[in-house]
Amino acid sequence: MTDNGADVDKRVAEAWARIEAGLSRVLPASLRQLNTAAAVQAIDAVEAALAVPLPQDFRASLRIHNGTDPGPTLPPPEPSPVPLDYLCDTNKIIEMTRMWRDNYHPEPDWDDPQVWAYLVDRGEHLCLNGPVRPIIGSPGAVIVGDMNGDVQWLLDFDPAPGGMPGQVVRVDVECASWDVLAPSWTQLLVRYAEDLELFAADPDNSPLEIDRFVGPACEWGSTPSDSWGVRPAWLQNLQARSPYP
């Protein structure tokens, strides 16, 4: 049985309410950066511009908060409410996704799971955490958040085997690190809400690191350094192939 729209909307609203309650306890100044709701027409415009249907729960989320606003100055006047500089609003989703896709250059010798297995095994050149294909500029992605142009969150509509279309992925291009944060936007919101609640109750045991002037560290959800060199399950049985002549 599939959920109806009201069920999805309710779960997204409940997750955002938990996030806002958590932020009010640990980072109240950040609440001012949460944008108001996006108009349905603006959400439809994203789908038309990018030629992709957005997941129902992500649409519901935009109807609650149309991204976040870091303000006009650097550093921002308030800490960020998320472990990024900002979540994209509808206009920024279009802009950032087009920039992302402009960087897509198919590389048959490199865009190969056997090569990815080789690079992961090296432990220095690539880190994959979960069923995600490490293709920069992939047209099967929509950018939904950014940190200084180096770390981005995306909705992944072309996941690796075992992944879920629309899963949320954290990409650190500079460090060649790709982490599946959650199989859906709703589950990402719930995960973040739980970690905020844990931080409020027991900060030493929360995966979040929060600076009261800046906000949560962008490393949230990234692979620990001692896990580099470990293949994700979907690459386990592949024979590695070097891309080098």
Side-chain angles (χ1 to χ4, degrees), residues 97-139:
T97 300
R98 284 175 170 168
M99 290 174 59
W100 167 267
R101 293 178 180 178
D102 285 345
N103 288 319
Y104 180 55
H105 303 288
E107 297 283 355
D109 291 335
W110 291 83
D111 296 342
D112 178 344
Q114 290 181 297
V115 172
W116 299 335
Y118 173 85
L119 296 174
V120 170
D121 290 347
R122 294 286 297 271
E124 300 174 357
H125 303 284
L126 181 65
C127 180
L128 299 180
N129 178 21
V132 56
R133 307 178 199 273
I135 301 176
I136 295 174
S138 166

Side-chain angles (χ1 to χ4, degrees), residues 9-245:
D9 290 358
K10 179 181 178 183
R11 281 204 299 274
V12 172
E14 289 173 346
W16 267 117
R18 289 177 63 186
I19 289 171
E20 291 167 26
L23 290 171
S24 70
R25 296 174 65 188
V26 303
L27 207 59
S30 71
L31 290 168
R32 292 189 290 270
Q33 287 198 30
L34 294 173
N35 287 336
T36 57
V40 172
Q41 294 87 342
I43 302 172
D44 291 343
V46 173
E47 295 185 331
L50 301 179
V52 61
L54 297 173
Q56 188 175 347
D57 60 347
F58 189 69
R59 288 181 60 98
S61 182
L62 289 172
R63 294 197 305 271
I64 297 171
H65 292 300
N66 187 17
T68 64
D69 182 2
T73 60
L74 294 174
E78 298 100 15
S80 173
V82 293
L84 295 165
D85 285 339
Y86 59 86
L87 292 179
C88 299
D89 63 16
T90 49
N91 290 330
K92 204 70 174 177
I93 290 172
I94 296 172
E95 176 188 345
M96 295 295 290
T97 300
R98 284 175 170 168
M99 290 174 59
W100 167 267
R101 293 178 180 178
D102 285 345
N103 288 319
Y104 180 55
H105 303 288
E107 297 283 355
D109 291 335
W110 291 83
D111 296 342
D112 178 344
Q114 290 181 297
V115 172
W116 299 335
Y118 173 85
L119 296 174
V120 170
D121 290 347
R122 294 286 297 271
E124 300 174 357
H125 303 284
L126 181 65
C127 180
L128 299 180
N129 178 21
V132 56
R133 307 178 199 273
I135 301 176
I136 295 174
S138 166
V142 170
I143 303 299
V144 298
D146 181 77
M147 181 72 179
N148 197 36
D150 297 321
V151 176
Q152 295 172 321
W153 285 3
L154 56 83
L155 301 180
D156 178 12
F157 297 101
D158 183 27
M164 294 292 293
Q167 65 187 7
V168 188
V169 177
R170 177 189 183 276
V171 180
D172 185 333
V173 174
E174 184 176 354
C175 293
S177 175
W178 300 67
D179 296 273
V180 177
L181 297 179
S184 71
W185 187 254
T186 301
Q187 287 165 283
L188 174 84
L189 295 177
V190 170
R191 177 182 178 182
Y192 187 49
E194 290 174 345
D195 288 346
L196 282 170
E197 291 162 357
L198 180 57
F199 187 91
D202 185 7
D204 290 338
N205 287 310
S206 172
L208 283 167
E209 295 182 11
I210 297 180
D211 183 305
R212 65 188 181 93
F213 297 107
V214 177
C218 73
E219 286 78 13
W220 181 73
S222 62
T223 306
S225 58
D226 57 4
S227 295
W228 278 66
V230 178
R231 294 190 196 183
W234 68 282
L235 287 180
Q236 285 293 335
N237 297 322
L238 288 183
Q239 181 176 351
R241 178 179 72 83
S242 172
Y244 303 109

